[in-house]
C-alpha cells in the first residue's frame, strides 16, 4: 500500500468546510494517498472513533458534515477529533470564502486536532501565494477539467503528505 505511513491502527479523517457531499472527492483522495476508504458517518463521534480503533491501519474516513457544526449531543466533530488526537486532512474547495482556510485551520488547531495539512481542490494553484499565507498546504488536487496529465501535482501531494505524516508521528506523545 502506498500510504502516507500511518501509525499502527491509524488513518485520517477527511474534512471540508460544509462537509463532504460528493462521493468522488473522498474516493479520489483515498486512491491518491493509497488509503482504504471507509464509509463516512455523522453518527455519534465517540462511537465512530472507537470503531476506528478496530480498523487495520491505512484508512481514510470522510466526514459528511462540517467539522464545526453543532452536534445534537453538544460540541462539534472538531472538538471530538482533538480529544481523540485523531489526525485529519482538510480539503478546501477553490470557491471557498477567502478566510475559510485560516478559519478552519484555527478551529482545528484550537480543538487540538493533529492537522496533516490542507489540500486545495481544483481551481488555479499558486504555490507562492499559498506559501505566503503561512498555512500547512500540502498541495492541490486538480479538477477533472484541469487533469494532472504528467502526475506532478499528485506526486507532490503524496510526498508532502508522507513527510507531514512522519512529522505528526514523531510529535505524538508516548
Amino acid at each position: 500500500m502506498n500510504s502516507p505511513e500511518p501509525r499502527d491502527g491509524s488513518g485520517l479523517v477527511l474534512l471540508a468546510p460544509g462537509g463532504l457531499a460528493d462521493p468522488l472527492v473522498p474516493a479520489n483522495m483515498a486512491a491518491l494517498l493509497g488509503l482504504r476508504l471507509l464509509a463516512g458517518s455523522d453518527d455519534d463521534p465517540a462511537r465512530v472513533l472507537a470503531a476506528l480503533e478496530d480498523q487495520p491501519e491505512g484508512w481514510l474516513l470522510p466526514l459528511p458534515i462540517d467539522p464545526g457544526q453543532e452536534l445534537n449531543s453538544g460540541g462539534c466533530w472538531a472538538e471530538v477529533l482533538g480529544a481523540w488526537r485523531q489526525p485529519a486532512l482538510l480539503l478546501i474547495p477553490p470557491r471557498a470564502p477567502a478566510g475559510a482556510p485560516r478559519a478552519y485551520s484555527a478551529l482545528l488547531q484550537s480543538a487540538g486536532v493533529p492537522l496533516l495539512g490542507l489540500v486545495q481542490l481544483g481551481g488555479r494553484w499558486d504555490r507562492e501565494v499559498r506559501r505566503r499565507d503561512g498555512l500547512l498546504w500540502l498541495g492541490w488536487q486538480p479538477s477533472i477539467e484541469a487533469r494532472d496529465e504528467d502526475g506532478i501535482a499528485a506526486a507532490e501531494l503524496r510526498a508532502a503528505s508522507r513527510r507531514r505524516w512522519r512529522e505528526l508521528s514523531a510529535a505524538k506523545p508516548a
Side-chain angles (χ1 to χ4, degrees), residues 16-36:
L20 291 158
D22 182 352
L24 293 178
V25 171
N28 289 340
M29 284 310 290
L32 183 120
L33 297 174
L35 298 173
R36 190 177 69 264

Side-chain angles (χ1 to χ4, degrees), residues 63-93:
L63 188 62
I65 66 170
D66 189 288
Q69 180 179 326
E70 185 72 22
L71 299 169
N72 292 337
S73 59
C76 65
W77 263 95
E79 293 168 348
V80 176
L81 293 171
W84 282 71
R85 303 293 301 151
Q86 175 56 57
L89 179 62
L90 181 60
L91 303 180
I92 302 293

